Amino acid sequence: MIIYLHGFNSTPASKKATQLRQYLERRGLGDAFVCPALPHWPQQAIALVQAELERRTGEPITLVGSSLGGYYATYLAERHDLRAVLINPAVQPQHDLHKYLGPQRNLYSGEQYELTPAHIEQLQALWIERIDPRRYLLLVETGDEVLDYREAMARYAGARQVVVEGGDHTLMSFPQQIPQILAFAGMRAPL
């Protein structure tokens, strides 16, 4: 089972979530993919995913988190003893998102809201000081124009890391990485 956690101001309709869902569906594994619509409040987003984890107790689960979803995946992986694939993850959004305080608009749903210091406080509450790098597969591209890939490499030192030259924050190489994601998750996808 894969639970995909989308990024900031995104939805389950994001390009990577859609590509991964379609890849699995074409191989008869569509039931092994869940991508919840994460609320913009961090506490609510975590509560939603934890409820999904509780519904699936006993199933082997791998989290796949993109950008802010990677930060959430780290928190959840450490709290619930899970594996996680991190795609150009936000390492410290409690610091990085300060410059975005104010009006926001979700890129896919059009939902409008205000990013406030309370959001930042909730993100800070999710910070995990020490991580077990064996849990993670890190996928980054050096051309990420939003986040510094080197911060992710340092944070997840000791984890399996795939560093692709060039690209951007969307992880342009994502379609080529899907087989590796599934292998890390222990999923066998028939051709």
Side-chain angles (χ1 to χ4, degrees), residues 92-102 115-117 120-121:
Q92 292 198 46
Q94 69 273 33
H95 301 298
D96 298 336
L97 286 177
H98 274 283
K99 60 186 167 193
Y100 297 104
L101 289 174
L115 185 67
T116 69
I120 303 301
E121 289 172 17

Side-chain angles (χ1 to χ4, degrees), residues 78-90:
E78 295 297 330
R79 291 288 184 239
H80 296 279
D81 192 25
L82 299 171
R83 287 177 292 193
V85 178
L86 309 175
I87 302 166
N88 283 339

